Amino acid sequence: MTRITPDRVAIKIAMWSGPRNISTAMMRAFENREDVEVTDEPFYAAFLAATGDIHPMREEVIATQPTDWRDVAKAMAGPGPGTPIWYQKQMCHHMLPDFGLDWMDACTNAFLIRPPEQVLASYLAKRTLVTLSDIGVVRQNEIFDRVADRLGKAPPVIEGAQVLADPRKALSGLCQALGIPFSAKMLSWPAGRRASDGVWAPAWYDAVERSTGFTRPDRFATFDDLPDTLKPLAEAARPYYERMAQYRLRT
């Protein structure tokens, strides 16, 4: 792993996603570079402790991460692991309204999006109960607005389908927008679990653990694939997704 020398500047990338996107595969892609270390969903335990939500492996998560968001925020804005690039996989729904966001100003923030019907269809395979806040689209818009207001322009937005359709082209464009060089090492990785994976990996990461790269599915879930009980939720989420989608990178 390449370490920072005095003539190199560390870049902290906070990639903001909702659940059941390609967020873990994206983390794999960055981690496969020689100049990157990654952090997996650092606010998860703080979110669970604050909400009392019942998630798979809840107690294990709480036991292995700080539960005070202030401690996590201080760490995420800190010097990092010592590599030129520090990639933080951040979940929008973990950032509760009373969790401060000032720490984000130390990061280069980017946003990963997916149509709500695809998110919900995938989410149902892991949890049967789901709300609008669970999929993070509202909070993602709020975080995006905060970053855009500070920068005076839209930060990078990438859609999972763009990456799956043409990984080299999409990731090259994303790296350019982030101000880092593209590496072909991002296109494939060894199968299996990583020491950097959160303790919750057995409950959520079965598909990505089998993967060795980005693979486009034969078909994407559609609105009609959803049970009738979830269609109103997809409709409520769609304006938030569509607003973000207008800013996606034209890779």
Side-chain angles (χ1 to χ4, degrees):
M1 188 70 70
T2 304
R3 295 288 161 180
I4 297 173
T5 60
D7 60 335
R8 304 189 73 171
V9 178
I11 297 176
K12 292 187 280 287
I13 298 170
M15 179 63 77
W16 294 96
S17 175
R20 312 313 295 168
N21 203 332
I22 60 166
S23 57
T24 308
M26 188 72 83
M27 182 174 70
R28 287 281 191 275
F30 274 87
E31 188 174 22
N32 206 51
R33 298 172 58 124
E34 296 178 348
D35 56 353
V36 176
E37 285 197 27
V38 303
T39 296
D40 192 10
E41 301 186 25
F43 287 90
Y44 198 0
F47 164 80
L48 291 176
T51 62
D53 282 5
I54 303 302
H55 281 217
M57 304 185 68
R58 168 188 164 83
E59 298 308 318
E60 291 89 341
V61 176
I62 288 176
T64 54
Q65 287 185 327
T67 56
D68 189 327
W69 71 265
R70 298 168 188 82
D71 294 336
V72 185
K74 182 178 180 180
M76 293 303 100
T83 49
I85 302 169
W86 180 17
Y87 183 90
Q88 304 171 7
K89 176 190 166 192
Q90 301 285 5
M91 293 287 105
C92 297
H93 62 293
H94 290 171
M95 300 309 298
L96 298 172
D98 59 345
F99 286 12
L101 298 177
D102 288 350
W103 64 271
M104 292 173 49
D105 296 349
C107 299
T108 298
N109 296 277
F111 296 81
L112 178 63
I113 62 173
R114 187 184 191 189
E117 61 271 17
Q118 296 176 24
V119 173
L120 290 167
S122 179
Y123 197 93
L124 279 180
K126 299 297 182 179
R127 295 183 73 203
T128 55
L129 298 176
V130 57
T131 67
L132 190 62
S133 62
D134 287 331
I135 61 173
V137 290
V138 178
R139 192 58 166 151
Q140 189 175 52
N141 273 250
E142 294 170 349
I143 295 170
F144 174 88
D145 285 346
R146 186 188 187 283
V147 176
D149 287 346
R150 182 176 64 84
L151 296 177
K153 62 180 181 179
V157 177
I158 189 81
E159 180 140 24
Q162 292 177 277
V163 181
L164 297 177
D166 192 336
R168 180 180 290 272
K169 183 178 180 182
L171 293 175
S172 294
L174 176 61
C175 287
Q176 182 178 9
L178 294 171
I180 63 174
F182 169 72
S183 170
K185 290 181 177 294
M186 301 175 72
L187 301 177
S188 61
W189 51 83
R193 194 165 297 172
R194 303 286 184 276
S196 56
D197 290 347
V199 69
W200 53 87
W204 296 95
Y205 292 176
D206 50 329
V208 78
E209 287 175 4
R210 296 191 299 271
S211 73
T212 58
F214 294 103
T215 304
R216 184 180 175 87
D218 294 333
R219 66 182 294 272
F220 291 108
T222 68
F223 182 81
D224 290 337
D225 292 324
L226 295 177
D228 289 343
T229 54
L230 283 186
K231 287 179 178 177
L233 181 56
E235 290 174 338
R238 177 155 292 278
Y240 296 98
Y241 158 74
E242 290 179 345
R243 179 174 180 267
M244 296 289 296
Q246 69 179 319
Y247 296 105
R248 63 190 161 205
L249 297 172
R250 303 303 174 188
T251 61

